[in-house]
């Protein structure tokens, strides 16, 4: 069965304290891996797409990386406005659906 | 910037009633989706729609659910006879090509009482 597991479930950091969120996946054949940000009561907001092992994408304080088994979302010198739930999702070859993980709730303390 | 819009933002309905959730996907996109998120749980796939037909559906998407693209811009999800357990946030999404990122709307919070 195709699965996406995110860790940790929740993370509290001080402003400026860098860290990484993990997404491990078990799929029959990966078409793409996606990172989204979700604020409370809102829809997922697209951040990155990664297609192959070794690929990296960056946007402001966020960098996403991909290996054959997992992806990391690195957050450098975070600010309170980076507080949100970060969702990892995968699309399997041959499917249209995206499978989401449960997310990591990130809280940045000022 | 193009975005997916959903209406209404919140709907309260009596158990057993029919509801229609509406979405306007991004205009040049070809793939359309409905997802739902029960409070505190993960985002779950319901159905995908391409070339005017359902391309994939989950076990959740049973006979009480249906989707329609009645014109060139709208995409709807109908729940025929709502149950208490249908209470959730329903998200519409669209993508331009298969395998590319999907863009989500802000959701419709459905409360069944």
């Amino acid at each position: 069965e195709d699965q996406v597991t995110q860790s940790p479930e929740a993370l509290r950091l001080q402003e400026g304290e860098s860290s990484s969120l993990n997404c491990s996946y078990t799929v029959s054949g990966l078409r793409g891996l996606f990172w989204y940000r979700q604020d409370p009561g809102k829809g997922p907001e697209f951040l990155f797409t990664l297609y192959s092992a070794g690929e990296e994408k960056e946007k402001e304080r966020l960098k996403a990386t991909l290996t054959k088994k997992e992806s990391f979302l690195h957050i450098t010198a975070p600010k309170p406005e980076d507080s949100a739930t970060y969702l990892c999702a995968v699309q399997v070859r041959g499917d249209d659906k995206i499978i989401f993980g449960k997310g990591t709730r990130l809280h940045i303390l000022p | 910037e193009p975005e997916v819009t959903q209406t209404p933002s919140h709907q309260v309905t009596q158990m057993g009633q029919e509801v229609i959730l509406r979405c306007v996907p991004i205009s040049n996109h070809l793939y359309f989706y409905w997802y739902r998120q029960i409070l505190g749980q993960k985002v779950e796939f319901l159905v995908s729609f391409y070339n005017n037909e359902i391309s994939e559906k989950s076990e959740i998407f049973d006979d009480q659910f249906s989707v329609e693209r009645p014109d060139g811009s709208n995409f709807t999800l109908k729940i025929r006879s709502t149950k208490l357990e249908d209470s959730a946030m329903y998200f519409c999404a669209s993508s331009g090509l298969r395998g590319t990122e999907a863009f989500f709307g802000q959701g419709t919070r459905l409360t069944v009482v």
Side-chain angles (χ1 to χ4, degrees):
Chain A
E1 185 185 344
D2 300 319
Q3 266 192 315
V4 179
T5 305
Q6 291 189 248
S7 61
E9 287 186 16
L11 183 62
R12 293 166 70 92
L13 299 172
Q14 289 294 134
E15 184 173 0
E17 182 185 359
S18 302
S19 189
S20 297
L21 314 183
N22 177 263
C23 170
S24 63
Y25 60 91
T26 308
V27 297
S28 49
L30 182 71
R31 172 179 275 137
L33 184 142
F34 310 96
W35 282 97
Y36 288 86
R37 169 188 170 131
Q38 187 177 30
D39 293 301
K42 305 290 185 184
E45 175 189 344
F46 170 72
L47 294 173
F48 303 110
T49 304
L50 301 165
Y51 289 111
S52 54
E55 193 175 356
E56 298 184 353
K57 295 271 179 75
E58 263 186 271
K59 179 180 175 182
E60 295 179 359
R61 295 177 291 282
L62 298 175
K63 183 167 86 171
T65 61
L66 182 65
T67 72
K68 288 187 178 178
K69 295 290 183 188
E70 58 191 351
S71 177
F72 291 93
L73 184 66
H74 307 277
I75 182 159
T76 303
K79 299 182 178 182
E81 54 261 41
D82 295 322
S83 297
T85 296
Y86 289 85
L87 304 175
C88 174
V90 299
Q91 189 175 50
V92 177
R93 279 197 213 103
D95 286 355
D96 287 334
K97 68 178 179 287
I98 296 171
I99 304 168
F100 280 85
K102 292 182 178 179
T104 293
R105 293 189 313 279
L106 179 65
H107 187 52
I108 309 299
L109 302 163
Chain B
E1 185 176 319
E3 60 180 15
V4 176
T5 56
Q6 291 186 241
T7 54
S9 56
H10 191 188
Q11 177 141 12
V12 181
T13 188
Q14 296 272 350
M15 193 168 53
Q17 293 293 108
E18 175 184 286
V19 294
I20 298 176
L21 311 183
R22 302 179 191 279
C23 168
V24 179
I26 294 173
S27 63
N28 61 345
H29 281 185
L30 301 175
Y31 290 84
F32 313 113
Y33 312 88
W34 284 100
Y35 288 81
R36 79 173 185 189
Q37 188 174 33
I38 295 170
L39 189 64
Q41 298 187 24
K42 64 179 181 180
V43 178
E44 299 176 289
F45 170 76
L46 292 178
V47 65
S48 59
F49 193 85
Y50 170 71
N51 202 25
N52 284 318
E53 61 183 19
I54 291 173
S55 58
E56 191 175 353
K57 62 182 180 179
S58 72
E59 292 176 354
I60 303 168
F61 194 87
D62 61 22
D63 291 344
Q64 70 160 341
F65 291 91
S66 62
V67 290
E68 197 176 40
R69 189 155 161 81
D71 53 42
S73 58
N74 291 285
F75 182 50
T76 62
L77 174 69
K78 182 193 288 187
I79 309 175
R80 271 182 256 286
S81 178
T82 50
K83 303 171 189 166
L84 293 175
E85 53 264 38
D86 293 328
S87 295
M89 278 287 273
Y90 287 80
F91 295 112
C92 174
S94 68
S95 62
L97 296 170
R98 202 182 198 196
T100 60
E101 55 274 3
F103 293 87
F104 285 74
Q106 290 302 293
T108 293
R109 179 171 299 284
L110 177 66
T111 303
V112 182
V113 297

